[in-house]
Amino acid sequence: HLAIPLSARSSSGLHPAVMLLLCFISSAACTSLGFTEEPFERAGKADGYCSRVLRAQSNRKESNNEFRLRVEGDPDSYQPGSTYRVNVIASSPSYFRGFTLIALKEGAGGDKDDDYAGNFRIIDEDETQFMTNCPHAVTESTPRRRNNIQVFWTAPPTGSGCVLLKASIVQKKIIFFQDEGPLTKQMCEKDATDKPLLDCCACGTAKYRVTFYGNWSEKIHPKDYPRRANHWSAIIGASHSKNYVLWEYGGSASDGVKQVAELGSPVKMEEEIRQKGDDVLTVIKMKAQWPAWQPLNVRAAPSAEFSVDRIRHLMSFLTMMGPSPDWNVGLSAENLCTKECGWVQKVVQDLIPWDAGTDSGVSYESSNKPTVPQEKIRPLTSLDHPQSPFYDPEGGAITPVARVVVERIARKGEQCNIVPDNVDDIVADIAQEEKEEDDTPETCIYSNWSPWSACSSATCEKGKRMRQRMLKAQLDLSVPCPHTQDFEPCMGPGCSDEDGSTCMMSEWITWSPCSMSCGAGIRSRERYVKQFPEDGSLCTLPTEETENCVVNEECSPSSCLVTEWGEWDACSATCGLGMKRRERMVKMPPADGSICGAEVLEVEKCMMPECHTIPCLLTPWSEWSDCSVTCGKGSRTRQRMLKSPLELGECTEDLEQVEKCMLPECPIDCAMSDWTEWSECNKSCGKGHTIRTRVVTMEPQFGGDPCPETIQRKKCKVRKCSRGQGNSDDKKRRKEQREKRRSKQVKTEVTSEHPGCKMRPWSSWTECTKQCGGGIQERLMTVKQKFKTTQLSSCKERKEIRACNVHPC
């Protein structure tokens, strides 16, 4: 604990040391407290700053379960080089304003770069950013109320050991951080020591679909890529018990594994699987892919369905990367049973190649060279051999060559989850039995059911729809009232659950940019076939569609140039009917100075069926506040209040909204460089002038102040010129100067007639006195012949001067 003298407190009520600690944890704390952190030396000090953050986190532990750190899929271990989605979550109605997230090798102190494991990748730059003084850490971009953030984390290479993902939370002026608890997650490298759960406590059975996405292509893995005959072999696997291991890291390849690894043949492997009898529930088989990489809108990714139960709750598969010595990818004993006695909803795993240990080749097309004695199965690394296509002298992680997605599509039988199902769990059960009678107690008074919402799937994939009712009164508090929401599975229009000739289509991919930047154009979007009909027929559903688009309605001097519409924001309601909005920006106001009439905001209705609680009763939104700035980009807010009584359940709706606003661009005044030094006088005697110059460094924009003068002149007088004959020394000096100028003249002499004398032509301009920042040049016209009757004033040498190299240095 920190010992803080009562006499040393800031105006905010916090000791300066605590305020500094808050700043270490989160930039939001500094902003909210009005505390300005003294700048640290940037060079070589980042690690020291990171270690201070860690020391701050270890100063205090809070047994608080409102906040937790979660890795998608809840894995206990990581696959080296694989990417995981990491979430920091606040349980409703809690929220946080700031956070810090790091990944530290277990037992490390955080004083060195090597103490940190893997790499974070930002998903939403408006939400998250890397900490300025500690680039290993992720923090918030802007301090505001939030209950969830997410980033990607790529696991470190093989041999990195266990990793601690640690988060800290700032809520108002309170910091929550834990070395052990919901805000810290340990993940150890998946290797031969990893064992599946000994027992599974789930009830009933579950059905899954596994889909294999090959990403091994010449574009992503260019080194020595085999352009001919590259392919993935037929996929073979099974759902099985803990008593049977198809393959595992650190184990030895069976004859079946060897044939898949070296030849791509699944025959022997399938024979071995089928011999295991009751230890196997489903044999998993998928077709080979020739070539290895194909656009998803050309051919569906291979997929297969399988089942699991309490005994056979593990899934394994493998496929050969061809051509190769004995390189494969796959999953080994993936456990689909959760610790809470339920079935995993979804597993997404990036795959790197592994070596079966039966062939000693080092490149894709190495000749056969059996490994004697046979070695253990191991993952390939980037330091295996300089001739390896995955070789990296710095030992970086191998870019994944494939991704596998395992999705639960149904459950059967009575379930016994310790943790209650969420909405996604419920609607995933397409075999859910319909209730035949209404068992609503008489003591519960409800409104009528609302109409069914639209199906969440517009394709032939399984979706869900929802209806809801309001609990008006509960006459007997001792009798619980049933749910206020009802869900049922559904599919897109024209799809039948029993029709074997139906194509399984993906969701539509985002619209392409409009083909025109001004006026009417066309945009398109695509989707792909996820699974072809079982009867072998072709898919007739369209995989591409186009529509007209207008970026700028008119293209004239009175029209303004705008960007394309951005993506739709999330629906304003979490249940039932809501509103969503999208916006675009003004790129350039009208050239004639008129007001831009283009719409920059669109709003439309949306339906959200994912409600978990009784809908809140809320006041209407207040009017939007004024923009926070008078010009340029800013933000504005609006609020609403809760009207429904607390007895109806928690309300997780936002009571405040913040949106961006755009006013006319701020005027930018002309900016000038400093004046140069005054040049030398352009006359050697008598009256002359001298100049100085400056350049424009920023042109005025959006009505800013115009640029002033760039050159100034002023009179100068060196000395009075002598008249008459003068003394002989002056004559001699002037004669020498004339001879010197005559020797430098390179052009052909041309007689110029002046009253009383003949003049030579102008000499060449001298070199500029400066390379940049404004210098001067001069040239001379000298007297060639002077007549006896000539007056001094009408026959004398002439000089011109001009500015040069006025660009800034």
Side-chain angles (χ1 to χ4, degrees):
H1 296 280
L2 296 174
I4 304 174
L6 293 175
S7 60
R9 294 187 179 272
S10 68
S11 60
S12 65
L14 293 179
H15 190 278
V18 176
M19 297 174 71
L20 182 59
L21 175 60
L22 286 170
C23 290
F24 284 159
I25 300 301
S26 170
S27 62
C30 298
T31 305
S32 63
L33 295 176
F35 181 80
T36 305
E37 176 190 334
E38 290 297 324
F40 289 88
E41 297 180 30
R42 296 295 177 91
K45 296 294 184 183
D47 291 339
Y49 193 93
C50 288
S51 63
R52 273 176 278 183
V53 173
L54 290 171
R55 286 197 296 274
Q57 288 189 351
S58 63
N59 282 343
R60 174 183 171 196
K61 293 183 181 180
E62 295 285 348
S63 57
N64 190 295
N65 293 317
E66 296 177 11
F67 310 103
R68 66 189 180 102
L69 184 153
R70 180 176 183 265
V71 179
E72 188 176 41
D74 296 321
D76 294 324
S77 58
Y78 66 85
Q79 182 77 39
S82 292
T83 299
Y84 301 87
R85 189 188 299 266
V86 180
N87 291 266
V88 179
I89 303 168
S91 300
S92 176
S94 298
Y95 64 90
F96 55 93
R97 295 184 180 275
F99 72 94
T100 303
L101 179 63
I102 61 168
L104 193 68
K105 292 181 181 177
E106 190 171 40
D111 299 318
K112 308 183 297 295
D113 279 336
D114 290 344
D115 290 352
Y116 298 89
N119 298 291
F120 287 108
R121 191 167 85 245
I122 301 299
I123 296 176
D124 185 351
E125 293 183 352
D126 290 337
E127 289 287 331
T128 54
Q129 65 179 1
F130 291 104
M131 187 177 286
T132 304
N133 290 20
C134 178
H136 303 292
V138 176
T139 187
E140 74 285 345
S141 296
T142 54
R144 66 172 184 82
R145 291 175 57 158
R146 51 170 64 80
N147 53 30
N148 181 35
I149 63 96
Q150 54 184 345
V151 296
F152 286 128
W153 177 69
T154 301
T158 302
S160 299
C162 293
V163 175
L164 293 177
L165 292 167
K166 298 166 65 90
S168 62
I169 291 296
V170 174
Q171 184 193 43
K172 296 182 179 178
K173 300 177 182 179
I174 305 171
I175 311 170
F176 296 101
F177 34 71
Q178 294 179 292
D179 286 341
E180 296 176 0
L183 287 175
T184 294
K185 180 174 179 63
Q186 181 195 56
M187 293 178 67
C188 294
E189 182 178 344
K190 182 177 287 187
D191 57 21
T193 62
D194 280 342
K195 299 296 182 184
L197 291 176
L198 294 179
D199 295 298
C200 173
C201 57
C203 301
T205 63
K207 188 175 183 180
Y208 288 87
R209 179 183 295 114
V210 54
T211 308
F212 181 84
Y213 299 95
N215 201 28
W216 175 43
S217 66
E218 187 171 13
K219 181 179 180 180
I220 300 176
H221 304 87
K223 185 180 178 185
D224 300 333
Y225 187 79
R227 295 187 176 182
R228 294 183 300 173
N230 60 80
H231 68 283
W232 294 106
S233 74
I235 296 174
I236 183 68
S239 56
H240 57 93
S241 72
K242 61 184 176 60
N243 298 323
Y244 173 43
V245 178
L246 278 74
W247 71 273
E248 64 178 344
Y249 294 134
S252 296
S254 66
D255 290 340
V257 171
K258 180 179 179 180
Q259 285 200 12
V260 174
E262 295 186 10
L263 307 175
S265 171
V267 177
K268 183 66 176 177
M269 185 83 240
E270 182 176 354
E271 182 183 324
E272 291 178 353
I273 293 172
R274 294 191 182 278
Q275 288 176 351
K276 292 299 177 180
D278 291 341
D279 284 325
V280 172
L281 183 58
T282 307
V283 178
I284 299 171
K285 296 195 291 184
M286 289 179 263
K287 296 179 180 179
Q289 288 190 88
W290 294 78
W293 183 85
Q294 297 172 344
L296 289 177
N297 60 352
V298 174
R299 184 176 178 182
S303 65
E305 296 181 358
F306 65 94
S307 298
V308 290
D309 60 18
R310 176 179 288 192
I311 302 300
R312 293 151 297 190
H313 55 95
L314 307 176
M315 189 275 279
S316 303
F317 80 91
L318 66 161
T319 176
M320 174 199 181
M321 174 191 290
S324 72
D326 57 348
W327 300 343
N328 285 239
V329 299
L331 290 180
S332 174
E334 185 69 28
N335 186 17
L336 299 176
C337 181
T338 69
K339 296 177 181 177
E340 293 79 21
C341 303
W343 297 109
V344 172
Q345 178 73 34
K346 187 175 184 179
V347 175
V348 179
Q349 189 74 267
D350 289 315
L351 306 176
I352 61 171
W354 49 269
D355 189 313
T358 61
D359 193 298
S360 300
V362 296
S363 63
Y364 290 126
E365 300 182 88
S366 296
S367 57
N368 289 335
K369 186 179 179 182
T371 302
V372 181
Q374 184 173 316
E375 296 179 350
K376 302 292 186 182
I377 298 174
R378 65 173 183 85
L380 293 182
T381 73
S382 58
L383 295 174
D384 284 340
H385 195 281
Q387 294 180 9
S388 167
F390 306 106
Y391 181 72
D392 178 4
E394 297 181 359
I398 293 178
T399 303
V401 296
R403 169 173 287 190
V404 64
V405 177
V406 182
E407 298 176 277
R408 198 184 79 219
I409 56 176
R411 290 182 302 182
K412 291 184 180 180
E414 182 179 353
Q415 303 298 311
C416 55
N417 301 40
I418 297 173
V419 177
D421 289 340
N422 58 30
V423 174
D424 287 336
D425 286 330
I426 296 170
V427 300
D429 301 327
I430 61 174
Q432 184 177 7
E433 296 181 1
E434 297 264 344
K435 290 187 177 180
E436 294 182 357
E437 59 182 67
D438 186 3
D439 56 356
T440 302
E442 295 181 356
T443 56
C444 300
I445 309 300
Y446 289 96
S447 66
N448 292 329
W449 284 107
S450 68
W452 285 106
S453 68
C455 189
S456 63
S457 172
T459 68
C460 291
E461 282 203 311
K462 299 296 187 299
K464 57 181 178 288
R465 64 177 186 168
M466 180 205 75
R467 63 178 182 174
Q468 59 185 354
R469 58 183 176 179
M470 292 289 293
L471 177 62
K472 291 183 175 181
Q474 187 174 359
L475 304 180
D476 186 353
L477 296 179
S478 64
V479 179
C481 291
H483 59 279
T484 58
Q485 293 159 341
D486 194 12
F487 298 90
E488 73 174 16
C490 60
M491 299 173 71
C495 299
S496 170
D497 202 5
E498 290 80 24
D499 188 358
S501 62
T502 301
C503 293
M504 299 293 289
M505 305 296 293
S506 73
E507 298 292 337
W508 286 104
I509 299 171
T510 308
W511 286 104
S512 68
C514 194
S515 61
M516 301 293 291
S517 60
C518 188
I522 296 176
R523 65 177 187 171
S524 63
R525 64 178 182 175
E526 297 177 341
R527 62 180 176 177
Y528 58 88
V529 181
K530 293 189 70 174
Q531 183 170 330
F532 284 96
E534 296 177 0
D535 59 7
S537 60
L538 297 176
C539 285
T540 58
L541 295 174
T543 58
E544 182 177 1
E545 67 179 15
T546 59
E547 72 173 16
N548 296 330
C549 54
V550 177
V551 180
N552 296 281
E553 288 76 6
E554 54 176 316
C555 305
S556 65
S558 63
S559 64
C560 49
L561 208 59
V562 295
T563 64
E564 282 196 71
W565 288 107
E567 295 295 326
W568 287 104
D569 289 344
C571 194
S572 61
T574 57
C575 169
L577 185 65
M579 303 297 290
K580 62 181 180 179
R581 58 188 295 277
R582 65 176 181 175
E583 60 182 12
R584 59 183 177 182
M585 306 292 288
V586 177
K587 294 173 66 177
M588 186 180 298
D592 59 6
S594 60
I595 298 176
C596 180
E599 293 290 339
V600 294
L601 178 65
E602 275 190 352
V603 179
E604 74 173 27
K605 297 178 181 179
C606 52
M607 175 64 77
M608 293 295 291
E610 289 85 3
C611 258
H612 298 275
T613 60
I614 298 172
C616 307
L617 293 177
L618 299 164
T619 63
W621 284 107
S622 66
E623 295 295 325
W624 286 105
S625 66
D626 293 333
C627 197
S628 60
V629 295
T630 56
C631 60
K633 297 178 181 179
S635 61
R636 60 180 187 170
T637 60
R638 65 176 183 176
Q639 294 82 29
R640 60 182 175 180
M641 298 183 66
L642 179 66
K643 293 199 305 182
S644 56
L646 296 178
E647 299 82 60
L648 293 182
E650 296 178 337
C651 182
T652 59
E653 298 284 353
D654 287 334
L655 300 180
E656 183 180 60
Q657 283 187 345
V658 180
E659 72 168 10
K660 298 175 183 177
C661 51
M662 181 76 178
L663 295 178
E665 293 285 353
C666 300
I668 300 176
D669 297 334
C670 176
M672 308 289 292
S673 67
D674 294 331
W675 287 104
T676 63
E677 298 293 330
W678 287 101
S679 67
E680 296 179 358
C681 194
N682 70 327
K683 295 291 182 68
S684 59
C685 66
K687 295 181 179 179
H689 66 270
T690 179
I691 67 169
R692 65 175 182 175
T693 61
R694 59 180 175 178
V695 295
V696 177
T697 58
M698 173 68 76
E699 293 287 347
Q701 299 181 49
F702 309 112
D705 293 338
C707 295
E709 60 185 353
T710 58
I711 185 167
Q712 286 184 347
R713 300 173 183 267
K714 70 178 181 179
K715 296 179 180 180
C716 58
K717 187 174 182 180
V718 180
R719 59 183 176 81
K720 188 175 182 181
C721 295
S722 59
R723 297 181 180 274
Q725 295 295 323
N727 56 49
S728 59
D729 289 340
D730 287 341
K731 290 180 181 179
K732 184 176 180 180
R733 180 165 49 80
R734 285 196 294 273
K735 183 177 181 181
E736 288 175 353
Q737 288 176 348
R738 285 195 297 272
E739 291 296 329
K740 187 176 182 181
R741 285 195 294 271
R742 194 176 292 117
S743 66
K744 290 183 177 180
Q745 187 171 332
V746 295
K747 294 184 178 180
T748 306
E749 292 187 355
V750 179
T751 301
S752 300
E753 296 299 335
H754 289 269
C757 61
K758 292 182 178 180
M759 306 295 290
R760 289 188 173 87
W762 285 106
S763 67
S764 301
W765 288 102
T766 62
E767 291 186 3
C768 193
T769 57
K770 292 186 178 180
Q771 296 294 326
C772 58
I776 59 173
Q777 291 176 296
E778 62 180 27
R779 67 176 181 175
L780 298 171
M781 179 183 285
T782 58
V783 178
K784 179 180 181 183
Q785 184 179 357
K786 182 167 60 176
F787 305 128
K788 294 180 180 180
T789 59
T790 302
Q791 298 292 327
L792 287 173
S793 60
S794 63
C795 187
K796 59 183 179 180
E797 69 179 28
R798 302 189 178 196
K799 179 189 288 188
E800 282 190 350
I801 189 169
R802 70 179 182 186
C804 58
N805 291 343
V806 295
H807 57 276
C809 296

